[in-house]
Amino acid sequence: MTSTVTTREAFVHPALFYRTEQEYTRQTTAFLREGLAGGEPMAVAVPGPNLELIKTGLGGDAEGILFLDMTEAGRNPGRIIPKVLRGFADAHPKGRVRIIGEPIWAGRSAIEYPACAQHEALINAAFEGRPVTILCPYDEVRLDPQVIADAKITHPTLISGQGRESVSDAYDWQAVVDRYNQALAPAPDAAAFSYAGEDLPAARQFALAQATRLGMTGERLMDLELAVAELTTNSVVHGGGRGTLAIWAEQGQLVCEVRDAGLLTDPLAGRRPPEPGQLGGRGLMLVHYVADLVRIYTSDDGTTVRFYLSL
C-alpha cells in the first residue's frame, strides 16, 4: 500500500476491497505499519476473527494499538461514530490519527444494512477537515454486490486487495444518506400509545408493561425505559408537543418506535458527541448507546425513530 492518497487531504477515508485472508492481512498490516513509522495513534475495530488476523500479522508491532471487536463495539452502527471513531480521535487531538473500521460484515442483517450504509456515508461529514485516516475493509467475496457498490459511493478513495489506490468516480456520500432514509411501516399487531407532555410517565409505564409482557427482563428493561424517556421527551420539546409510541416483538428482538411531527435536519443528530459544557443534545445519542440498532426516517411530515433491543 502506498501513501500517495493517504497524505493528500486532511481527512482520508479509503475503502479496502479484499478477497482473501492473505490480502486482508497484508493490506491492513501495511496500513498500520505506515502509521507506526509516523508515530500515529492507531485503533482497529473489526470483527473478532479479523482482529486475530491483524494481530498475528503484526506480531510484536501490535503493542500500543487499541483493538476492538466491532461486532460488540459497533453492534449498533449508530454508535460507531460517537463512541468508537470520535471517541478515539478526540482522545488524541494532536497530529494524525489512523483507524481501521469494518462496520459491515457478512453476518449483518437486511434490517441493519441501511443504518450501516448511512454510517459509512456520515463518516465523511463527521471528520471533514480533521487529520484522521479511516480505512474500511470490505469482503468482495461474501458481501452483496450492492454493498460493494455503495462502498464506492461512500468512500472517495478505493484500494484493491493488491494495494492499488484510485479515486472513486462514484463518490457522493449524501446520495447514500438520502437513499436509505426509508419509510418504516409499523407492525400491524403493535401495541400503541399516544402521548402529550402530561403523559410522559404513563408512556414509560406503557413501554415497560408491554416489554415485560413480551418477555424482556433485567437490565434491558432499564435500557428500554431510558430510550423511551429520551425519545418521548424529544417529541414534546422538539416534535410538536406530542407523539405516538408503538412496541412489538420480531425475530427475538423487542422493537420500539416513536413517531412525531418533528423535523430532523441534522444528518449527524445522535452521532455528534456533545461539546464540553454543552447542555442537552444527548437524547438520541443515548438511544444509540443502549440499543442494538436504531433506524430513523425523517421527512417534511415528521420523524420516526425505531430502536431494537434483544430479548
Side-chain angles (χ1 to χ4, degrees), residues 222-241:
M222 298 172 61
D223 292 338
L224 172 76
E225 184 176 16
L226 172 62
V228 167
E230 295 294 343
L231 292 177
T232 54
T233 300
N234 277 352
S235 294
V236 171
V237 177
H238 305 292

Side-chain angles (χ1 to χ4, degrees), residues 57-302:
L58 286 173
D61 290 337
E63 187 175 352
I65 299 174
L66 174 65
F67 290 96
L68 299 170
D69 187 336
M70 188 64 102
T71 64
E72 299 173 2
R75 178 77 261 169
N76 171 21
R79 66 170 171 256
I80 298 174
I81 288 175
K83 195 167 188 178
V84 179
L85 304 181
R86 279 285 304 269
F88 185 76
D90 291 355
H92 300 86
K94 295 182 179 180
R96 177 163 293 275
V97 170
R98 187 172 289 237
I99 302 170
I100 298 177
E102 189 170 6
I104 304 174
W105 56 88
R108 284 290 200 187
S109 69
I111 294 173
E112 292 174 311
Y113 179 68
C116 293
Q118 286 186 318
H119 156 75
E120 284 284 64
L122 289 169
I123 289 176
N124 298 288
F127 287 92
E128 183 179 7
R130 292 191 59 170
V132 176
T133 305
I134 301 175
L135 176 71
C136 301
Y138 283 82
D139 186 335
E140 283 193 293
V141 175
R142 301 177 65 200
L143 292 175
D144 188 275
Q146 184 61 57
V147 176
I148 302 302
D150 286 342
K152 295 176 181 178
I153 304 174
T154 56
H155 296 77
T157 303
L158 311 177
I159 302 175
S160 73
Q162 292 74 44
R164 292 188 295 272
E165 292 190 0
S166 62
V167 174
S168 175
D169 294 334
Y171 178 61
D172 183 5
W173 67 264
Q174 185 65 58
V176 167
V177 173
D178 294 342
R179 174 149 48 91
Y180 289 108
N181 180 38
Q182 300 169 337
L184 302 169
D189 59 345
F193 182 88
S194 296
Y195 59 87
E198 65 272 17
D199 304 313
L200 293 181
R204 292 196 299 272
Q205 290 305 312
F206 167 81
L208 289 171
Q210 293 300 321
T212 301
R213 178 181 66 82
L214 293 168
M216 181 166 281
T217 59
E219 291 184 1
R220 295 263 77 177
L221 285 172
M222 298 172 61
D223 292 338
L224 172 76
E225 184 176 16
L226 172 62
V228 167
E230 295 294 343
L231 292 177
T232 54
T233 300
N234 277 352
S235 294
V236 171
V237 177
H238 305 292
R242 59 194 316 108
T244 301
L245 171 67
I247 296 182
W248 66 95
E250 62 179 48
Q251 299 179 355
Q253 292 182 303
L254 183 87
V255 188
C256 184
E257 177 184 278
V258 170
R259 292 177 181 250
D260 59 43
L263 298 179
L264 194 62
T265 58
D266 179 7
L268 285 171
R271 302 174 195 247
R272 184 185 288 106
E275 299 298 327
Q278 176 182 328
L279 299 177
R282 293 171 169 81
L284 186 53
M285 188 176 70
L286 288 174
V287 177
H288 277 301
Y289 278 20
V290 302
D292 298 317
L293 174 67
V294 179
R295 293 283 305 276
I296 299 173
Y297 171 67
T298 189
S299 71
D300 291 341
D301 297 324

